[in-house]
């Protein structure tokens, strides 16, 4: 069984993490790639699902990539199952917005690692730019292009990709969290650059970095650890962070260029050097949109995606969050901390008393 898995959307962040894991792990060791999809109406063929299959071709074409057992785990989830989880989970709180509950659901179901293993059929391999003999013949018009989804109404049957039920036993789950906050991956970074130039971008990046632990990491780690897996964040390694934060903003991104080119430019250049041509040119796509969860979720709660956008749904308090306010949560946590501090002080006093009683018996001064 694999020891290590990757939360794998097929985008540049997760594909680079997978490539680096490939460089570090022994050649005969499998790597599990978890890809979650809520796109029931589209036959579970969301943007992230397509990107994951295409980026797998890039991983297989790395040096030694064909000897690696890359196990792409397709985690397909029904929206009703997602709603049931959201209504009962305590893992997302104290974060309480609609976006938190959609992102949390995507992470929780993906991290479960229960799905089907995907192996491309010859037709899939040709559509993805990989021939059966292992060579590549990429003729996509630009890096972000993807092959069209399979026509499920076609009368001519073609060999289907093989799939079998699978549950990953990997205990370490690598995540690609961090580049969006450090390398200007969000739309708000473009607004900051447009209004304040490089200084405005640097201020916005610093603000994102200060809030990242509270805004994302706690929620994400709880959703992963609930399955007995341990999160690892390679981009948040202290040396990596120190290096990136020491660079001028112009080295991190060039927001005069288009999406998928100028944002996270430093990482995209690294991906291209590694040989990850496809993912290096993919535009940023938030997890809830890439996995196909935002559309049914917005329709269910707001009637449509347009209405959800009008109401700024991502920042709205989720109906699953319950009546507890953030202030009440903080006050409760601080009260518990003070209670624990009191217990520790009492224990410390007990230990000091015990040491004073034992000192004469030990002959210690």
């Amino acid at each position: 069984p694999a020891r290590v898995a990757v939360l794998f959307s097929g985008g540049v962040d997760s594909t680079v993490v997978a490539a680096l894991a490939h460089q570090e792990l022994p050649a005969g060791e499998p790597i599990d790639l978890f890809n979650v999809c809520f796109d029931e109406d589209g036959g579970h063929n969301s943007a992230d699902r397509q990107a994951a299959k295409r980026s797998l071709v890039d991983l297989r074409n790395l040096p030694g990539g064909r000897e690696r057992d890359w196990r792409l785990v397709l985690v397909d989830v029904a929206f009703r199952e997602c709603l049931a989880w959201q209504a009962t989970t305590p893992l997302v709180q104290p974060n309480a917005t609609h976006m938190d509950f959609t992102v949390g659901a995507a992470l929780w179901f993906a991290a479960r690692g229960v799905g089907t293993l995907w192996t491309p059929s010859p037709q899939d391999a040709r559509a993805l730019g990989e021939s059966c003999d292992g060579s590549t013949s990429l003729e996509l018009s630009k890096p972000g292009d993807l092959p069209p989804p399979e026509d499920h109404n076609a009368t001519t049957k073609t060999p289907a990709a093989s799939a079998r039920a699978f549950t990953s036993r990997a205990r370490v789950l690598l995540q690609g969290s961090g580049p969006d906050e450090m390398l200007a991956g969000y739309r708000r970074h473009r607004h900051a650059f447009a209004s304040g130039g490089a200084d405005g971008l640097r201020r916005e990046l610093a603000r994102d970095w200060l809030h990242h632990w509270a805004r994302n990491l706690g929620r994400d780690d709880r959703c992963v650890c609930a399955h007995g897996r341990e999160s690892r964040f390679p981009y948040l390694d202290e040396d990596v962070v120190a290096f990136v934060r020491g660079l001028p903003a112009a080295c991190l991104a060039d927001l005069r260029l288009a999406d998928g080119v100028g944002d996270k430019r430093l990482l995209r250049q690294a991906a291209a050097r590694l040989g990850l041509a496809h993912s290096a040119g993919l535009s940023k796509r938030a997890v809830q949109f890439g996995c196909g969860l935002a559309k049914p979720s917005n329709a269910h709660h707001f009637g449509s995606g347009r209405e959800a956008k009008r109401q700024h749904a991502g920042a709205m308090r989720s109906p699953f969050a319950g009546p507890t306010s953030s202030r009440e949560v903080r006050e409760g946590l601080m009260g518990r901390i003070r209670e624990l501090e009191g217990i520790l002080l009492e224990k410390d006093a007990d230990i000091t008393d015990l040491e004073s009683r034992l000192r004469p018996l030990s002959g210690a001064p």
Side-chain angles (χ1 to χ4, degrees):
R3 294 181 299 161
V4 174
V6 180
L7 200 64
F8 191 67
S9 69
V12 62
D13 303 355
S14 61
T15 306
V16 168
V17 167
L20 295 178
H22 167 62
Q23 290 182 357
E24 295 298 322
L25 291 173
E29 187 169 325
I31 298 177
D32 293 347
L33 308 172
F34 297 169
N35 180 267
V36 67
C37 182
F38 297 83
D39 180 29
E40 288 180 278
D41 294 340
H44 289 292
N45 196 35
S46 66
D48 279 2
R49 177 60 50 83
Q50 297 178 55
K53 292 177 178 179
R54 180 58 189 80
S55 292
L56 178 58
V57 174
D58 279 351
L59 291 174
R60 284 172 49 80
N61 287 330
L62 294 175
R66 298 199 174 274
E67 289 70 50
R68 173 78 61 191
D69 185 10
W70 298 101
R71 303 195 294 199
L72 180 57
V73 185
L74 307 184
V75 181
D76 295 339
V77 185
F79 182 58
R80 62 182 180 277
E81 187 179 0
C82 172
L83 286 176
W85 178 83
Q86 289 177 321
T88 59
T89 183
L91 298 174
V92 174
Q93 299 202 52
N95 292 3
T97 67
H98 178 68
M99 183 187 72
D100 285 313
F101 276 84
T102 53
V103 172
L107 290 172
W108 188 88
F109 282 102
R112 190 167 59 169
V114 177
T116 56
L117 281 183
W118 184 80
T119 303
S121 68
Q123 179 200 22
D124 292 321
R126 287 192 296 272
L128 293 168
E130 180 182 69
S131 63
C132 296
D133 63 3
S135 62
T136 57
S137 54
L138 301 182
E139 297 180 354
L140 303 178
S141 61
K142 58 180 182 295
D145 281 349
L146 290 168
E150 180 182 351
D151 183 1
H152 296 282
N153 298 317
T155 56
T156 303
K157 299 296 182 181
T158 55
S162 62
R164 58 186 175 87
F166 180 79
T167 300
S168 175
R169 294 169 60 187
R171 288 301 176 205
V172 172
L173 182 60
L174 303 178
Q175 297 189 52
S177 181
D180 289 319
E181 289 77 14
M182 292 193 293
L183 301 175
Y186 291 116
R187 178 62 56 180
R188 61 177 174 270
H189 295 135
R190 289 189 174 275
H191 295 321
F193 179 75
S195 60
D199 289 340
L201 174 60
R202 176 64 77 181
R203 287 193 296 271
E204 188 66 27
L205 291 172
R207 189 179 298 114
D208 272 355
W209 181 246
L210 288 174
H211 296 162
H212 187 50
W213 68 273
R215 188 72 193 86
N216 298 323
L217 294 181
R219 174 200 64 206
D220 298 356
D221 194 48
R222 289 190 296 275
C223 289
V224 170
C225 290
H227 300 293
R229 306 190 202 279
E230 186 67 23
S231 295
R232 293 287 186 272
F233 302 96
Y235 295 117
L236 302 184
D237 177 86
E238 291 180 353
D239 290 338
V240 174
V241 172
F243 170 74
V244 170
R245 288 177 59 79
L247 294 174
C251 294
L252 309 179
D254 185 351
L255 299 185
R256 298 169 300 178
L257 303 178
D259 289 346
V261 180
D263 54 304
K264 298 190 287 190
R265 187 162 177 78
L266 184 65
L267 182 62
R268 296 183 188 282
Q269 290 174 334
R273 289 192 179 190
L274 286 170
L276 308 173
H278 176 70
S279 64
L282 285 178
S283 298
K284 161 71 180 172
R285 190 183 298 111
V287 60
Q288 65 269 33
F289 292 97
C291 71
L293 179 54
K295 183 177 179 180
S297 182
N298 288 339
H300 178 81
H301 293 291
F302 301 96
S304 68
R306 178 176 296 180
E307 183 62 20
K309 184 176 182 179
R310 189 186 71 80
Q311 296 188 33
H312 303 285
M316 290 184 64
R317 186 173 181 80
S318 170
F320 300 119
T324 305
S325 69
S326 297
R327 181 177 179 180
E328 290 170 332
V329 170
R330 286 195 298 271
E331 290 176 350
L333 288 173
M334 291 305 297
R336 182 59 177 158
I337 289 171
R338 286 191 292 269
E339 180 183 342
L340 292 172
E341 286 175 344
I343 293 173
L344 290 172
L345 288 173
E346 290 177 6
K347 294 290 185 183
D348 189 51
D350 291 342
I351 291 171
T352 302
D353 180 61
L354 181 61
E355 287 176 342
S356 66
R357 291 171 181 269
L358 292 176
R359 191 173 292 116
L361 300 177
S362 66

